[in-house]
Structures are given as C-alpha cells and as structure tokens.
Amino acid sequence: MEEMTYKEEFIEFMVRSGVLTFGDFTTKSGRKTPYFINTGNYKTGYQASKLGQFYAACLHDNLGDQVDALFGPAYKGIPLAVSCSIALYEQYGQDVNYCFNRKEAKDHGEGGTMVGYKLQDGDRVAIIEDVITAGTAIRECLPVLQGAAKVDIRALVISVDRMEKGTGDKSAIQEVKEQYGIDAYPIVTVREIISYLHGREIDGKVYIDDEMKARMEAYLEKYGI
C-alpha cells in the first residue's frame, strides 16, 4: 500500500474531526454551498498536535527554512501559529519564533497589541490562518505587522483554498497576491478534496459520491475561479 501524502492524510483528518462536512449550507456571503469547513470544531490536544504537523509540512514544503517568525492573527490563528512552531521544531529541527496580536491594546505593563516574539526589521514572516474567504483578516493584520517592524511577509499559510471568486473575478488568494504581493499556500485545495474523496470510503462511509461530486462541481462552475 502506498504511503499517504500529508495532503491525503489532512483530508481524512478534517473529515474525522467533523471539520469538513457535506450537505446544505449557506456561507457568510450568502452562497448556498454543498460543503462546509468549520475549523472551530478542532478541540482536542491530539487534533491541535496533528494540525500543527500539517501546517509545518506545508510551510516546510513551500518555504524550507526561509522563515524567522510565524504570526497568528487573533483569535483562530493563535493556536495554529503555536502548534505549527512546535511541529517545525519537532519534525524539522527548526526553532521558529511565533507571535500574535491582541484584539484590544493592553494599557498596563508593557502595553501594545503584540504578544510573543518581538518582530525585528528584516524578519521573514509567515502568517498562519485557518481559511481565507474575502481576505479581510489579511487587510486587518498587515498594519499590525508593519507597525511592529519593517518585516518581509513571505507567505500566508491556510488549511483549505476553496478556490472561489472574492468580490470580483479573482479568488481571495489571487487578490492577496495582487494587492500585497503575498503568496498563499493552502495545505489542500477543494479540487484536491474532490479528487481524493470521490468514491472513497472513510471509516465505511463515502462522503463524496457521484451526486455530491456533481453538486460540488456545479458550485465551482458558478463561483469558482
């Protein structure tokens, strides 16, 4: 039996964690979608540990050791950045700094909005985020990062690229690249999810049968890039 790639492992991990689900959903933007990714369903120590390993694999795959610090936007990005930095050290021997922002500035002690590593001019930073839909989170955290130091934002690492149009004809990932020059690296894309899960049993259940595949393809036909 062939060894699974980290992408294939991640897809099964999302299904088993109840994070990747199929049915009838409505997205924040009002789109009716046949699948949904709710990263708020991760809740155990095992899941946090595994999640960090998948992010670390994606980061290592695309950037090697070209990163000095991980930034986790509050709130969902915080545990992701921490678990990813642990996994980078344990799996690849890379001791990478991490930091995150507060939503509210602290008015006592040292004050400020940043917690963890103090960013320095020239630091190569990777933003660790769960998913990107409209790119709003990136627009919000760029001033925070640029206000801390003259950093070089190398990448945005996310769990899934839904490959959907944002406000115009481009995806949120393409818009982030165009507006800010930042490359985004997903652990997996929706196309990879369809390709891997179509007709495949996970613990005795097929999540993407022919009908679900047709629904997902129709959705991408309408909103995809």
Side-chain angles (χ1 to χ4, degrees), residues 42-86:
Y42 293 122
K43 53 189 175 287
T44 71
Y46 164 75
Q47 289 169 343
S49 173
K50 286 297 289 181
L51 201 50
Q53 289 169 24
F54 293 123
Y55 272 91
C58 180
L59 194 66
H60 190 262
D61 221 22
N62 290 291
L63 292 168
D65 58 0
Q66 304 297 300
V67 175
D68 302 303
L70 307 179
F71 173 73
Y75 291 99
K76 280 186 177 174
I78 297 172
L80 297 177
V82 175
S83 59
C84 180
S85 72
I86 293 169

mmCIF file of all heavy atoms in Angstrom, residues 42-86:
data_model
loop_
_atom_site.group_PDB
_atom_site.id
_atom_site.type_symbol
_atom_site.label_atom_id
_atom_site.label_comp_id
_atom_site.label_asym_id
_atom_site.label_seq_id
_atom_site.Cartn_x
_atom_site.Cartn_y
_atom_site.Cartn_z
ATOM 1 N N TYR A 42 -12.191 21.877 15.784
ATOM 2 C CA TYR A 42 -10.989 21.275 16.381
ATOM 3 C C TYR A 42 -11.015 21.594 17.866
ATOM 4 O O TYR A 42 -11.181 22.756 18.245
ATOM 5 C CB TYR A 42 -9.706 21.843 15.770
ATOM 6 C CG TYR A 42 -9.490 21.476 14.326
ATOM 7 C CD1 TYR A 42 -9.354 22.472 13.352
ATOM 8 C CD2 TYR A 42 -9.387 20.153 13.923
ATOM 9 C CE1 TYR A 42 -9.139 22.147 12.016
ATOM 10 C CE2 TYR A 42 -9.180 19.822 12.585
ATOM 11 C CZ TYR A 42 -9.052 20.816 11.645
ATOM 12 O OH TYR A 42 -8.842 20.499 10.332
ATOM 13 N N LYS A 43 -10.820 20.569 18.712
ATOM 14 C CA LYS A 43 -10.959 20.857 20.142
ATOM 15 C C LYS A 43 -10.110 19.990 21.065
ATOM 16 O O LYS A 43 -10.156 20.149 22.277
ATOM 17 C CB LYS A 43 -12.431 20.755 20.556
ATOM 18 C CG LYS A 43 -13.094 19.446 20.158
ATOM 19 C CD LYS A 43 -14.596 19.491 20.392
ATOM 20 C CE LYS A 43 -15.292 18.239 19.881
ATOM 21 N NZ LYS A 43 -15.364 18.180 18.406
ATOM 22 N N THR A 44 -9.340 19.046 20.522
ATOM 23 C CA THR A 44 -8.564 18.175 21.413
ATOM 24 C C THR A 44 -7.062 18.406 21.255
ATOM 25 O O THR A 44 -6.611 18.976 20.249
ATOM 26 C CB THR A 44 -8.856 16.683 21.127
ATOM 27 O OG1 THR A 44 -8.260 16.330 19.866
ATOM 28 C CG2 THR A 44 -10.352 16.393 21.079
ATOM 29 N N GLY A 45 -6.314 17.933 22.230
ATOM 30 C CA GLY A 45 -4.856 18.048 22.173
ATOM 31 C C GLY A 45 -4.287 17.301 20.980
ATOM 32 O O GLY A 45 -3.374 17.782 20.300
ATOM 33 N N TYR A 46 -4.853 16.118 20.697
ATOM 34 C CA TYR A 46 -4.407 15.326 19.542
ATOM 35 C C TYR A 46 -4.601 16.120 18.255
ATOM 36 O O TYR A 46 -3.711 16.203 17.406
ATOM 37 C CB TYR A 46 -5.191 14.007 19.475
ATOM 38 C CG TYR A 46 -5.081 13.312 18.139
ATOM 39 C CD1 TYR A 46 -3.908 12.640 17.779
ATOM 40 C CD2 TYR A 46 -6.132 13.358 17.221
ATOM 41 C CE1 TYR A 46 -3.795 12.024 16.528
ATOM 42 C CE2 TYR A 46 -6.030 12.745 15.981
ATOM 43 C CZ TYR A 46 -4.858 12.078 15.644
ATOM 44 O OH TYR A 46 -4.746 11.485 14.396
ATOM 45 N N GLN A 47 -5.808 16.722 18.114
ATOM 46 C CA GLN A 47 -6.104 17.482 16.894
ATOM 47 C C GLN A 47 -5.171 18.683 16.740
ATOM 48 O O GLN A 47 -4.676 18.957 15.651
ATOM 49 C CB GLN A 47 -7.573 17.949 16.907
ATOM 50 C CG GLN A 47 -8.566 16.821 16.708
ATOM 51 C CD GLN A 47 -9.997 17.242 16.988
ATOM 52 O OE1 GLN A 47 -10.243 18.273 17.632
ATOM 53 N NE2 GLN A 47 -10.960 16.471 16.520
ATOM 54 N N ALA A 48 -4.916 19.383 17.846
ATOM 55 C CA ALA A 48 -4.029 20.553 17.793
ATOM 56 C C ALA A 48 -2.633 20.137 17.361
ATOM 57 O O ALA A 48 -1.982 20.803 16.549
ATOM 58 C CB ALA A 48 -3.984 21.240 19.155
ATOM 59 N N SER A 49 -2.173 18.995 17.898
ATOM 60 C CA SER A 49 -0.846 18.492 17.561
ATOM 61 C C SER A 49 -0.758 18.109 16.082
ATOM 62 O O SER A 49 0.180 18.487 15.376
ATOM 63 C CB SER A 49 -0.531 17.279 18.445
ATOM 64 O OG SER A 49 0.667 16.668 18.034
ATOM 65 N N LYS A 50 -1.754 17.352 15.591
ATOM 66 C CA LYS A 50 -1.768 16.933 14.188
ATOM 67 C C LYS A 50 -1.869 18.142 13.252
ATOM 68 O O LYS A 50 -1.190 18.208 12.236
ATOM 69 C CB LYS A 50 -2.960 15.996 13.916
ATOM 70 C CG LYS A 50 -2.815 14.614 14.472
ATOM 71 C CD LYS A 50 -1.670 13.823 13.884
ATOM 72 C CE LYS A 50 -1.883 13.393 12.459
ATOM 73 N NZ LYS A 50 -0.725 12.596 11.946
ATOM 74 N N LEU A 51 -2.735 19.090 13.621
ATOM 75 C CA LEU A 51 -2.937 20.281 12.807
ATOM 76 C C LEU A 51 -1.614 21.024 12.624
ATOM 77 O O LEU A 51 -1.261 21.449 11.515
ATOM 78 C CB LEU A 51 -3.969 21.175 13.494
ATOM 79 C CG LEU A 51 -4.717 22.209 12.673
ATOM 80 C CD1 LEU A 51 -5.308 21.595 11.422
ATOM 81 C CD2 LEU A 51 -5.794 22.873 13.507
ATOM 82 N N GLY A 52 -0.877 21.176 13.709
ATOM 83 C CA GLY A 52 0.430 21.830 13.651
ATOM 84 C C GLY A 52 1.369 21.119 12.690
ATOM 85 O O GLY A 52 2.110 21.751 11.931
ATOM 86 N N GLN A 53 1.301 19.776 12.684
ATOM 87 C CA GLN A 53 2.171 18.993 11.789
ATOM 88 C C GLN A 53 1.827 19.233 10.321
ATOM 89 O O GLN A 53 2.712 19.324 9.474
ATOM 90 C CB GLN A 53 2.054 17.506 12.120
ATOM 91 C CG GLN A 53 2.691 17.119 13.448
ATOM 92 C CD GLN A 53 2.344 15.701 13.879
ATOM 93 O OE1 GLN A 53 2.013 14.848 13.044
ATOM 94 N NE2 GLN A 53 2.395 15.444 15.169
ATOM 95 N N PHE A 54 0.519 19.339 10.013
ATOM 96 C CA PHE A 54 0.118 19.583 8.619
ATOM 97 C C PHE A 54 0.551 20.982 8.160
ATOM 98 O O PHE A 54 1.033 21.155 7.043
ATOM 99 C CB PHE A 54 -1.401 19.415 8.461
ATOM 100 C CG PHE A 54 -1.875 17.998 8.653
ATOM 101 C CD1 PHE A 54 -2.836 17.689 9.607
ATOM 102 C CD2 PHE A 54 -1.362 16.964 7.880
ATOM 103 C CE1 PHE A 54 -3.282 16.385 9.791
ATOM 104 C CE2 PHE A 54 -1.790 15.648 8.047
ATOM 105 C CZ PHE A 54 -2.755 15.359 9.010
ATOM 106 N N TYR A 55 0.366 21.975 9.029
ATOM 107 C CA TYR A 55 0.804 23.336 8.688
ATOM 108 C C TYR A 55 2.323 23.372 8.501
ATOM 109 O O TYR A 55 2.830 23.997 7.569
ATOM 110 C CB TYR A 55 0.386 24.337 9.776
ATOM 111 C CG TYR A 55 -0.986 24.920 9.563
ATOM 112 C CD1 TYR A 55 -2.118 24.331 10.109
ATOM 113 C CD2 TYR A 55 -1.164 26.076 8.807
ATOM 114 C CE1 TYR A 55 -3.383 24.864 9.906
ATOM 115 C CE2 TYR A 55 -2.433 26.625 8.597
ATOM 116 C CZ TYR A 55 -3.536 26.004 9.151
ATOM 117 O OH TYR A 55 -4.789 26.543 8.942
ATOM 118 N N ALA A 56 3.034 22.696 9.402
ATOM 119 C CA ALA A 56 4.502 22.682 9.326
ATOM 120 C C ALA A 56 4.968 22.018 8.027
ATOM 121 O O ALA A 56 5.894 22.491 7.375
ATOM 122 C CB ALA A 56 5.083 21.952 10.541
ATOM 123 N N ALA A 57 4.295 20.931 7.635
ATOM 124 C CA ALA A 57 4.656 20.228 6.398
ATOM 125 C C ALA A 57 4.460 21.140 5.192
ATOM 126 O O ALA A 57 5.316 21.218 4.298
ATOM 127 C CB ALA A 57 3.819 18.955 6.246
ATOM 128 N N CYS A 58 3.338 21.860 5.165
ATOM 129 C CA CYS A 58 3.040 22.777 4.062
ATOM 130 C C CYS A 58 4.063 23.912 4.012
ATOM 131 O O CYS A 58 4.582 24.258 2.946
ATOM 132 C CB CYS A 58 1.624 23.321 4.227
ATOM 133 S SG CYS A 58 1.136 24.474 2.924
ATOM 134 N N LEU A 59 4.363 24.467 5.174
ATOM 135 C CA LEU A 59 5.330 25.569 5.269
ATOM 136 C C LEU A 59 6.711 25.108 4.830
ATOM 137 O O LEU A 59 7.385 25.764 4.033
ATOM 138 C CB LEU A 59 5.370 26.073 6.715
ATOM 139 C CG LEU A 59 6.047 27.412 6.982
ATOM 140 C CD1 LEU A 59 5.274 28.551 6.346
ATOM 141 C CD2 LEU A 59 6.173 27.673 8.479
ATOM 142 N N HIS A 60 7.118 23.944 5.324
ATOM 143 C CA HIS A 60 8.441 23.398 5.004
ATOM 144 C C HIS A 60 8.542 23.057 3.520
ATOM 145 O O HIS A 60 9.560 23.285 2.877
ATOM 146 C CB HIS A 60 8.703 22.160 5.871
ATOM 147 C CG HIS A 60 10.114 21.675 5.796
ATOM 148 N ND1 HIS A 60 10.502 20.640 4.975
ATOM 149 C CD2 HIS A 60 11.241 22.098 6.424
ATOM 150 C CE1 HIS A 60 11.809 20.456 5.103
ATOM 151 N NE2 HIS A 60 12.281 21.324 5.972
ATOM 152 N N ASP A 61 7.455 22.515 2.981
ATOM 153 C CA ASP A 61 7.371 22.148 1.571
ATOM 154 C C ASP A 61 7.572 23.351 0.654
ATOM 155 O O ASP A 61 8.246 23.263 -0.369
ATOM 156 C CB ASP A 61 5.960 21.584 1.313
ATOM 157 C CG ASP A 61 5.988 20.384 0.396
ATOM 158 O OD1 ASP A 61 7.038 19.745 0.293
ATOM 159 O OD2 ASP A 61 4.943 20.101 -0.224
ATOM 160 N N ASN A 62 6.969 24.464 1.020
ATOM 161 C CA ASN A 62 6.967 25.640 0.144
ATOM 162 C C ASN A 62 8.046 26.667 0.452
ATOM 163 O O ASN A 62 8.466 27.404 -0.437
ATOM 164 C CB ASN A 62 5.592 26.317 0.211
ATOM 165 C CG ASN A 62 4.509 25.480 -0.461
ATOM 166 O OD1 ASN A 62 4.501 25.328 -1.669
ATOM 167 N ND2 ASN A 62 3.620 24.896 0.332
ATOM 168 N N LEU A 63 8.489 26.751 1.709
ATOM 169 C CA LEU A 63 9.447 27.799 2.087
ATOM 170 C C LEU A 63 10.734 27.278 2.723
ATOM 171 O O LEU A 63 11.625 28.065 3.022
ATOM 172 C CB LEU A 63 8.775 28.789 3.047
ATOM 173 C CG LEU A 63 7.663 29.648 2.449
ATOM 174 C CD1 LEU A 63 6.892 30.354 3.536
ATOM 175 C CD2 LEU A 63 8.216 30.672 1.471
ATOM 176 N N GLY A 64 10.812 25.973 2.954
ATOM 177 C CA GLY A 64 12.021 25.424 3.573
ATOM 178 C C GLY A 64 12.266 26.074 4.924
ATOM 179 O O GLY A 64 11.383 26.123 5.770
ATOM 180 N N ASP A 65 13.485 26.626 5.080
ATOM 181 C CA ASP A 65 13.786 27.288 6.365
ATOM 182 C C ASP A 65 13.859 28.803 6.209
ATOM 183 O O ASP A 65 14.518 29.493 6.984
ATOM 184 C CB ASP A 65 15.097 26.733 6.947
ATOM 185 C CG ASP A 65 16.274 26.918 5.984
ATOM 186 O OD1 ASP A 65 16.061 27.482 4.877
ATOM 187 O OD2 ASP A 65 17.401 26.516 6.332
ATOM 188 N N GLN A 66 13.147 29.320 5.197
ATOM 189 C CA GLN A 66 13.198 30.756 4.902
ATOM 190 C C GLN A 66 12.202 31.586 5.714
ATOM 191 O O GLN A 66 11.612 32.536 5.209
ATOM 192 C CB GLN A 66 12.935 30.985 3.399
ATOM 193 C CG GLN A 66 13.870 30.238 2.462
ATOM 194 C CD GLN A 66 15.312 30.677 2.627
ATOM 195 O OE1 GLN A 66 15.637 31.833 2.425
ATOM 196 N NE2 GLN A 66 16.182 29.748 3.005
ATOM 197 N N VAL A 67 11.986 31.210 6.967
ATOM 198 C CA VAL A 67 11.036 31.944 7.814
ATOM 199 C C VAL A 67 11.650 32.173 9.194
ATOM 200 O O VAL A 67 12.207 31.261 9.791
ATOM 201 C CB VAL A 67 9.711 31.153 7.966
ATOM 202 C CG1 VAL A 67 8.770 31.852 8.937
ATOM 203 C CG2 VAL A 67 9.011 31.022 6.625
ATOM 204 N N ASP A 68 11.542 33.402 9.693
ATOM 205 C CA ASP A 68 12.068 33.735 11.026
ATOM 206 C C ASP A 68 10.980 33.753 12.087
ATOM 207 O O ASP A 68 11.242 33.540 13.267
ATOM 208 C CB ASP A 68 12.743 35.119 11.000
ATOM 209 C CG ASP A 68 13.866 35.179 9.973
ATOM 210 O OD1 ASP A 68 14.786 34.352 10.072
ATOM 211 O OD2 ASP A 68 13.795 36.028 9.061
ATOM 212 N N ALA A 69 9.735 34.039 11.675
ATOM 213 C CA ALA A 69 8.658 34.145 12.663
ATOM 214 C C ALA A 69 7.315 33.774 12.049
ATOM 215 O O ALA A 69 7.071 34.014 10.864
ATOM 216 C CB ALA A 69 8.594 35.569 13.221
ATOM 217 N N LEU A 70 6.458 33.186 12.882
ATOM 218 C CA LEU A 70 5.086 32.881 12.491
ATOM 219 C C LEU A 70 4.179 33.865 13.204
ATOM 220 O O LEU A 70 4.365 34.141 14.384
ATOM 221 C CB LEU A 70 4.705 31.462 12.925
ATOM 222 C CG LEU A 70 5.629 30.319 12.505
ATOM 223 C CD1 LEU A 70 5.102 28.999 13.057
ATOM 224 C CD2 LEU A 70 5.768 30.257 10.991
ATOM 225 N N PHE A 71 3.209 34.388 12.476
ATOM 226 C CA PHE A 71 2.246 35.307 13.082
ATOM 227 C C PHE A 71 0.861 34.690 12.999
ATOM 228 O O PHE A 71 0.402 34.318 11.923
ATOM 229 C CB PHE A 71 2.258 36.659 12.359
ATOM 230 C CG PHE A 71 1.174 37.607 12.819
ATOM 231 C CD1 PHE A 71 1.253 38.221 14.059
ATOM 232 C CD2 PHE A 71 0.059 37.853 12.025
ATOM 233 C CE1 PHE A 71 0.237 39.083 14.500
ATOM 234 C CE2 PHE A 71 -0.959 38.710 12.448
ATOM 235 C CZ PHE A 71 -0.862 39.320 13.694
ATOM 236 N N GLY A 72 0.177 34.583 14.151
ATOM 237 C CA GLY A 72 -1.184 34.041 14.193
ATOM 238 C C GLY A 72 -2.176 35.139 14.493
ATOM 239 O O GLY A 72 -2.203 35.658 15.608
ATOM 240 N N PRO A 73 -2.994 35.549 13.512
ATOM 241 C CA PRO A 73 -3.986 36.604 13.764
ATOM 242 C C PRO A 73 -5.021 36.141 14.800
ATOM 243 O O PRO A 73 -5.524 35.024 14.711
ATOM 244 C CB PRO A 73 -4.651 36.817 12.407
ATOM 245 C CG PRO A 73 -3.764 36.144 11.406
ATOM 246 C CD PRO A 73 -3.060 35.049 12.130
ATOM 247 N N ALA A 74 -5.322 37.015 15.764
ATOM 248 C CA ALA A 74 -6.315 36.683 16.791
ATOM 249 C C ALA A 74 -7.682 36.504 16.105
ATOM 250 O O ALA A 74 -8.003 37.246 15.193
ATOM 251 C CB ALA A 74 -6.387 37.802 17.823
ATOM 252 N N TYR A 75 -8.472 35.492 16.463
ATOM 253 C CA TYR A 75 -8.172 34.551 17.539
ATOM 254 C C TYR A 75 -7.796 33.179 16.994
ATOM 255 O O TYR A 75 -7.002 32.471 17.575
ATOM 256 C CB TYR A 75 -9.410 34.409 18.455
ATOM 257 C CG TYR A 75 -9.693 35.671 19.250
ATOM 258 C CD1 TYR A 75 -10.658 36.570 18.840
ATOM 259 C CD2 TYR A 75 -8.959 35.960 20.418
ATOM 260 C CE1 TYR A 75 -10.898 37.738 19.560
ATOM 261 C CE2 TYR A 75 -9.202 37.112 21.138
ATOM 262 C CZ TYR A 75 -10.171 38.002 20.703
ATOM 263 O OH TYR A 75 -10.396 39.153 21.412
ATOM 264 N N LYS A 76 -8.398 32.803 15.886
ATOM 265 C CA LYS A 76 -8.193 31.438 15.389
ATOM 266 C C LYS A 76 -6.752 31.146 14.990
ATOM 267 O O LYS A 76 -6.304 30.011 15.028
ATOM 268 C CB LYS A 76 -9.131 31.146 14.214
ATOM 269 C CG LYS A 76 -10.552 30.797 14.636
ATOM 270 C CD LYS A 76 -11.383 30.380 13.434
ATOM 271 C CE LYS A 76 -12.783 29.961 13.844
ATOM 272 N NZ LYS A 76 -13.642 29.698 12.688
ATOM 273 N N GLY A 77 -6.028 32.187 14.592
ATOM 274 C CA GLY A 77 -4.645 31.976 14.162
ATOM 275 C C GLY A 77 -3.671 31.710 15.304
ATOM 276 O O GLY A 77 -2.568 31.206 15.085
ATOM 277 N N ILE A 78 -4.081 32.044 16.540
ATOM 278 C CA ILE A 78 -3.159 31.916 17.678
ATOM 279 C C ILE A 78 -2.752 30.462 17.934
ATOM 280 O O ILE A 78 -1.559 30.141 17.900
ATOM 281 C CB ILE A 78 -3.734 32.582 18.954
ATOM 282 C CG1 ILE A 78 -3.911 34.094 18.719
ATOM 283 C CG2 ILE A 78 -2.817 32.336 20.147
ATOM 284 C CD1 ILE A 78 -4.647 34.830 19.840
ATOM 285 N N PRO A 79 -3.708 29.530 18.173
ATOM 286 C CA PRO A 79 -3.279 28.145 18.391
ATOM 287 C C PRO A 79 -2.600 27.535 17.168
ATOM 288 O O PRO A 79 -1.731 26.665 17.307
ATOM 289 C CB PRO A 79 -4.584 27.409 18.728
ATOM 290 C CG PRO A 79 -5.679 28.274 18.212
ATOM 291 C CD PRO A 79 -5.175 29.680 18.302
ATOM 292 N N LEU A 80 -2.963 28.014 15.967
ATOM 293 C CA LEU A 80 -2.350 27.474 14.748
ATOM 294 C C LEU A 80 -0.864 27.827 14.687
ATOM 295 O O LEU A 80 -0.027 26.983 14.368
ATOM 296 C CB LEU A 80 -3.069 28.010 13.502
ATOM 297 C CG LEU A 80 -4.543 27.630 13.347
ATOM 298 C CD1 LEU A 80 -5.133 28.284 12.115
ATOM 299 C CD2 LEU A 80 -4.709 26.116 13.270
ATOM 300 N N ALA A 81 -0.547 29.089 14.985
ATOM 301 C CA ALA A 81 0.857 29.526 14.944
ATOM 302 C C ALA A 81 1.681 28.795 16.006
ATOM 303 O O ALA A 81 2.802 28.367 15.754
ATOM 304 C CB ALA A 81 0.947 31.037 15.146
ATOM 305 N N VAL A 82 1.106 28.632 17.197
ATOM 306 C CA VAL A 82 1.821 27.950 18.288
ATOM 307 C C VAL A 82 2.055 26.481 17.940
ATOM 308 O O VAL A 82 3.182 25.982 18.038
ATOM 309 C CB VAL A 82 1.034 28.074 19.622
ATOM 310 C CG1 VAL A 82 1.708 27.255 20.715
ATOM 311 C CG2 VAL A 82 0.945 29.542 20.060
ATOM 312 N N SER A 83 0.993 25.771 17.496
ATOM 313 C CA SER A 83 1.156 24.339 17.192
ATOM 314 C C SER A 83 2.077 24.134 15.985
ATOM 315 O O SER A 83 2.846 23.173 15.934
ATOM 316 C CB SER A 83 -0.198 23.660 16.969
ATOM 317 O OG SER A 83 -0.902 24.258 15.912
ATOM 318 N N CYS A 84 2.039 25.061 15.032
ATOM 319 C CA CYS A 84 2.923 24.961 13.863
ATOM 320 C C CYS A 84 4.382 25.150 14.262
ATOM 321 O O CYS A 84 5.265 24.430 13.792
ATOM 322 C CB CYS A 84 2.521 25.995 12.810
ATOM 323 S SG CYS A 84 3.546 25.954 11.329
ATOM 324 N N SER A 85 4.645 26.095 15.173
ATOM 325 C CA SER A 85 6.041 26.318 15.591
ATOM 326 C C SER A 85 6.575 25.112 16.365
ATOM 327 O O SER A 85 7.732 24.731 16.220
ATOM 328 C CB SER A 85 6.180 27.613 16.411
ATOM 329 O OG SER A 85 5.622 27.462 17.689
ATOM 330 N N ILE A 86 5.718 24.477 17.170
ATOM 331 C CA ILE A 86 6.125 23.258 17.895
ATOM 332 C C ILE A 86 6.470 22.158 16.886
ATOM 333 O O ILE A 86 7.500 21.488 16.989
ATOM 334 C CB ILE A 86 4.999 22.773 18.845
ATOM 335 C CG1 ILE A 86 4.775 23.776 19.982
ATOM 336 C CG2 ILE A 86 5.326 21.391 19.417
ATOM 337 C CD1 ILE A 86 3.522 23.527 20.823
#
